[in-house]
Amino acid sequence: MQPILTIDNLRAGIEGREILKGVSLTVRPGEVHAIMGPNGSGKSTLASVLAGREDYEVLGGSVTFMQKDLLEMAPEERAGEGLFLAFQYPVEIPGVSTANFLKTSVNAVRKYRGQEPLEAAAFLALMREKMKLVEMDQSFLSRSLNEGFSGGEKKRNEVFQMAMLEPTLSVLDETDSGLDIDALRIVASGVNALRSPSNATVVITHYQRLLDYIVPDVVHVLVNGRIAMSGGKELALELEAKGYDWVKNTVPVEA
Amino acid sequence: MSIERFNDNIRNAFGSLEQRINGAAGGALHALRRSALEAFTTQGVPTIRHEEWKYTNVLPLLASDLQQSPDSDLAAHDLAALGHMPDVDAWRLVVVNGMVRTDVSTLPEGDAAVTVQMITDDLLASHPRVAAAFGHITPASAHPFVAVNAALTQQGILVHVHGRLARPLHILCVGDARASDILHTPRVLILADTHAEATIIESHHTVGTFQALDVTVVEVLAEAGSHVRYFKLLHDANNASHIGSTAAVVARDARAVCATVVTGGRFVRNDLHVRLVEPGASGYLYGVSVLDGTSFADNHTVVDHVAPHCHSEELYKGVYDDKSVGVFNGKIFVREDAQKTTAYQSNHALLLSESAQINAKPQLEIWADDVKCSHGATTGQLNEDALFYLRARGLPEGDARKLLTHAFAAEVMDHLDDDAIRTHMVALIDEALA
């Protein structure tokens, strides 16, 4: 089976500072990968580069997504091709209702894929169905996007959008940060419900806690812009027990 | 010089008006006009050396030979096409070159809640509240163009609301500039009785391609417990200039909600004064300007907290493209007696081009010590994080920019409780952004 995502020796940075110093990673259909690492290791940079944030500069390497060169694509093309980034800090957009935003988003992606826009009734039915996944209340739909949402509500809204867009690859950037255990459980069960043999998930997190609920097939530890260690789900537990210093000390760090 | 010619034109127009009204030149109304002409002569045309006109240069407007032209023969069907509001079922009061056109106005008949009539010497004599309000809520000393209006208005209009107005009243101020450059001076007094409720819409339209300057004065007296919604729509042609002054005096527990939408015209200057004169009064001021080309819009607002326990909220936003220029000047006065005041003001500008400009000046003067006041002002471009967020959700960059710009401007209208008028105003904003 062809991989969904192949990252090969990716180097990237911001404002002349190199943050990713050669990351390689292959994600196949049906897999869940966790990327763990201490603060400043490059986790969020990796998420931003994958989604196409323009302030990051790619310095070398390649990223292949569904046999296409991901780095050549604009952010909206990446979304159209089936890549989804759940933001660490979802943006508040006053004046745009959540429902209106979702409709615009879903139909933009459908247009990219050469599909007809969804009719109002079909769209409404789809929203109702997907909201249940993250136990979101109907009242969210008429509120301005993320405005005044609590931390947990924002993250649930991200997973709700993910459910609406049915991506091939979801990248969850610190989706667990700032969540209490109940919100974490809701978010995780939403993500799990969306797993299928044909899609894949990359979970970026600082803490092992989330991985109790979203169980990864592979765990990578990112240190100083490189994947220092990869292993099964038990690696996350070992990291939790021994701390990131254990990895830093195990792996030789370039001067 | 253009100022001298303008001054001459004003004096000549006053002379012609005096001849037209003939026998009534000795009455109280004409005495008001005469003192207004003096007030204009004393003040003179403002230049950018005047603090209140620092960014607002009227001299280019006076380059045209602006003349009053009260005898317009604009056809009824041309007038019927103006200011159409598909979502709003309103009565229409049509004023062409300052004169009421009853033939094309659709005024409430037999509705006890409102009377619309001309302000005459008899009315001033028999109606002390009208006499106390007309020319006193906004005196000719307020600024030179208010004086021009007061000196040259032949027909002042009284809108007297006694009860709850069933439909909005739409006042269309039309300039007929088909034959020459024109000056016209619509004038309205809105009197809302105790517990009355009214929605008034004011819009401005220019027909023809000569230059048109309308100098409009609207005075509002909102008596105790009344609720006045006042919407001003300026989406006029490129040969149209507008200098408007609206002042509302708001009594005990009364509420004035004012919203101004500017989406076109060559030059716009709006003065909006809200005076909260008795406890429990509240004022809400909303404004949206969407400008492009070389359009200019200046919103000068004053919220005057005279009495204690009053509340005001003000939100103005502007979207400026091309070489358009905006001005926002927002004063809040909290007088010594106005304890327990709550007054909030914010204004935000979005500059879509490098040559667009906004000059914003919030000004709070607070003499009372137990008050809550705040103001905030921002100027900038679209939020890059929001733009990326939308693109990451599949929206092409152009669509994402449009959505954010729309949201920025239209959000102001979320504060209005009238669905039909909000829909209409958002449609105007969208049309201007398209």
Side-chain angles (χ1 to χ4, degrees):
Chain A
M1 219 179 329
Q2 288 283 357
I4 287 178
L5 180 74
T6 309
I7 303 175
D8 185 21
N9 201 24
L10 178 66
R11 294 189 301 118
I14 189 165
E15 289 164 358
R17 196 159 46 91
E18 186 170 346
I19 298 171
L20 297 180
K21 299 170 182 172
V23 171
S24 298
L25 185 69
T26 302
V27 180
R28 293 193 163 75
E31 290 180 345
V32 174
H33 287 238
I35 297 175
M36 302 184 69
N39 289 330
S41 60
K43 301 190 301 290
S44 281
T45 299
L46 180 60
S48 295
V49 171
L50 290 178
R53 199 184 268 276
E54 278 156 355
D55 24 0
Y56 288 88
E57 195 186 351
V58 175
L59 304 165
S62 67
V63 180
T64 308
F65 177 62
M66 304 296 286
Q67 288 96 57
K68 290 181 181 163
D69 182 353
L70 186 75
L71 300 177
E72 282 295 299
M73 297 179 203
E76 56 268 33
E77 293 171 320
R78 299 178 195 209
E81 293 288 340
L83 177 77
F84 181 91
L85 171 67
F87 282 61
Q88 182 178 2
Y89 303 110
V91 181
E92 297 191 5
I93 306 186
V96 178
S97 74
T98 302
N100 186 29
F101 158 74
L102 271 172
K103 195 169 181 202
T104 312
S105 165
V106 166
N107 283 334
V109 166
R110 289 180 69 88
K111 188 177 176 190
Y112 181 88
R113 294 172 187 167
Q115 297 165 318
E116 290 293 311
L118 276 187
E119 281 174 35
F123 178 76
L124 211 62
L126 185 67
M127 276 204 306
R128 290 224 173 92
E129 178 201 327
K130 302 294 187 186
M131 283 179 87
K132 287 185 199 144
L133 279 179
V134 285
E135 300 175 27
M136 256 172 82
D137 191 83
Q138 193 88 12
S139 65
F140 280 91
L141 297 178
S142 54
R143 286 170 61 185
S144 282
L145 184 62
N146 292 325
E147 194 188 30
F149 285 27
S150 71
E153 287 166 347
K154 283 181 184 169
K155 296 302 174 76
R156 278 196 274 162
N157 195 14
E158 291 294 288
V159 178
F160 173 42
Q161 293 169 36
M162 177 176 148
M164 291 294 290
L165 291 170
E166 297 178 337
T168 311
L169 178 69
S170 303
V171 179
L172 311 182
D173 186 10
E174 310 242 1
T175 298
D176 51 337
S177 64
L179 293 192
D180 62 33
I181 200 71
D182 291 327
L184 187 71
R185 187 186 49 74
I186 293 169
V187 163
S189 73
V191 172
N192 286 330
L194 296 169
R195 288 180 63 177
S196 83
S198 58
N199 65 22
T201 311
V202 173
V203 180
I204 293 173
T205 182
H206 185 89
Y207 305 104
Q208 185 271 338
R209 191 177 64 148
L210 178 64
L211 305 180
D212 286 342
Y213 298 92
I214 304 174
V215 180
D217 299 297
V218 190
V219 174
H220 309 274
V221 185
L222 194 62
V223 178
N224 195 24
R226 284 197 185 84
I227 290 181
M229 202 180 266
S230 296
K233 63 183 177 212
E234 60 289 344
L235 178 57
L237 294 167
E238 197 172 354
L239 261 181
E240 182 80 356
K242 297 183 178 171
Y244 284 113
D245 283 342
W246 165 65
V247 185
K248 285 181 189 167
N249 295 334
T250 312
V251 181
V253 175
E254 249 176 80
Chain B
M1 281 302 293
S2 55
I3 290 186
E4 283 153 24
R5 183 177 59 197
F6 184 72
N7 290 343
D8 285 345
N9 286 358
I10 298 299
R11 272 190 294 273
N12 293 338
F14 183 81
S16 313
L17 171 62
E18 215 156 47
Q19 282 178 354
R20 276 203 306 279
I21 59 170
N22 202 357
L29 215 43
H30 198 63
L32 282 173
R33 291 192 197 103
R34 204 186 305 277
S35 69
L37 184 67
E38 275 169 37
F40 171 70
T41 309
T42 311
Q43 296 175 77
V45 170
T47 68
I48 53 171
R49 285 190 298 276
H50 292 67
E51 185 59 29
E52 297 305 320
W53 300 83
K54 192 173 172 183
Y55 302 105
T56 307
N57 187 3
V58 298
L59 295 188
L61 308 184
L62 309 187
S64 307
D65 187 15
L66 302 165
Q67 302 274 2
Q68 270 207 319
S69 172
D71 307 313
S72 164
D73 58 355
L74 258 176
H77 68 266
D78 291 331
L79 290 166
L82 296 174
H84 184 55
M85 297 188 290
D87 303 302
V88 184
D89 180 26
W91 286 303
R92 282 162 70 95
L93 174 61
V94 181
V95 184
V96 179
N97 288 3
M99 307 299 276
V100 173
R101 282 282 296 264
T102 44
D103 60 321
V104 288
S105 296
T106 53
L107 288 175
E109 275 172 41
D111 186 315
V114 64
T115 46
V116 177
Q117 62 193 112
M118 299 306 152
I119 295 171
T120 59
D121 284 329
D122 287 348
L123 184 70
L124 288 184
S126 64
H127 207 320
R129 279 198 301 151
V130 173
F134 186 69
H136 291 95
I137 291 177
T138 308
S141 57
H143 74 57
F145 290 97
V146 170
V148 166
N149 174 288
L152 299 186
T153 295
Q154 185 174 343
Q155 291 186 336
I157 300 160
L158 171 67
V159 176
H160 189 176
V161 187
H162 315 276
R164 188 174 180 280
L165 207 53
R167 293 157 65 184
L169 174 66
H170 182 186
I171 303 170
L172 294 97
C173 304
V174 181
D176 177 0
R178 291 174 303 165
S180 61
D181 297 332
I182 59 154
L183 169 71
H184 58 120
T185 58
R187 177 145 196 146
V188 181
L189 170 63
I190 297 162
L191 197 58
D193 283 351
T194 303
H195 295 302
E197 202 177 311
T199 298
I200 312 285
I201 302 159
E202 173 192 333
S203 66
H204 295 262
H205 311 269
T206 299
V207 180
T209 53
F210 284 88
Q211 291 297 314
L213 171 63
D214 82 80
V215 178
T216 302
V217 174
V218 176
E219 296 169 300
V220 181
L221 177 59
E223 299 276 26
S226 65
H227 184 179
V228 177
R229 300 183 192 88
Y230 166 79
F231 302 108
K232 181 166 178 178
L233 311 178
L234 289 150
H235 50 117
D236 211 344
N238 288 331
N239 56 321
S241 302
H242 169 79
I243 299 177
S245 180
T246 299
V249 171
V250 189
R252 181 176 288 272
D253 299 326
R255 178 152 51 132
V257 180
C258 308
T260 308
V261 174
V262 184
T263 57
R266 174 187 173 191
F267 174 101
V268 168
R269 161 70 178 238
N270 287 316
D271 282 77
L272 176 61
H273 290 218
V274 176
R275 285 203 288 280
L276 307 171
V277 297
E278 288 177 356
S282 55
Y284 299 81
L285 296 78
Y286 303 110
V288 174
S289 301
V290 180
L291 302 186
D292 59 8
T294 55
S295 289
F296 173 91
D298 173 359
N299 280 299
H300 257 66
T301 67
V302 177
V303 179
D304 195 353
H305 282 263
V306 179
H309 295 286
C310 293
H311 175 73
S312 68
E313 284 176 33
E314 178 169 12
L315 173 62
Y316 271 70
K317 286 189 176 185
V319 178
Y320 305 98
D321 202 352
D322 302 331
K323 291 180 176 173
S324 62
V325 177
V327 177
F328 173 80
N329 186 299
K331 293 191 182 71
I332 297 176
F333 298 124
V334 181
R335 309 285 173 183
E336 206 175 341
D337 292 337
Q339 300 294 1
K340 304 290 180 189
T341 287
T342 48
Y344 306 107
Q345 178 197 90
S346 53
N347 83 90
H348 305 287
L350 192 56
L351 298 176
L352 298 182
S353 98
E354 300 245 322
S355 10
Q357 241 191 74
I358 171 75
N359 303 289
K361 186 181 177 191
Q363 217 176 317
L364 274 61
E365 294 185 24
I366 301 169
W367 291 284
D369 52 16
D370 184 12
V371 302
K372 280 187 192 144
C373 296
S374 70
H375 73 91
T378 61
T379 300
Q381 284 82 41
L382 288 174
N383 180 337
E384 288 296 325
D385 287 336
L387 207 51
F388 176 68
Y389 189 74
L390 294 178
R391 294 179 71 190
R393 294 293 176 262
L395 276 72
E397 189 181 350
D399 293 1
R401 284 186 185 280
K402 271 187 199 152
L403 182 65
L404 289 176
T405 309
H406 160 86
F408 171 83
E411 182 255 344
V412 177
M413 297 298 135
D414 289 348
H415 296 270
L416 303 180
D417 60 2
D418 186 310
D419 287 341
I421 288 173
R422 183 177 53 232
T423 303
H424 182 69
M425 290 169 106
V426 169
L428 289 177
I429 290 167
D430 280 346
E431 197 183 305
L433 288 173

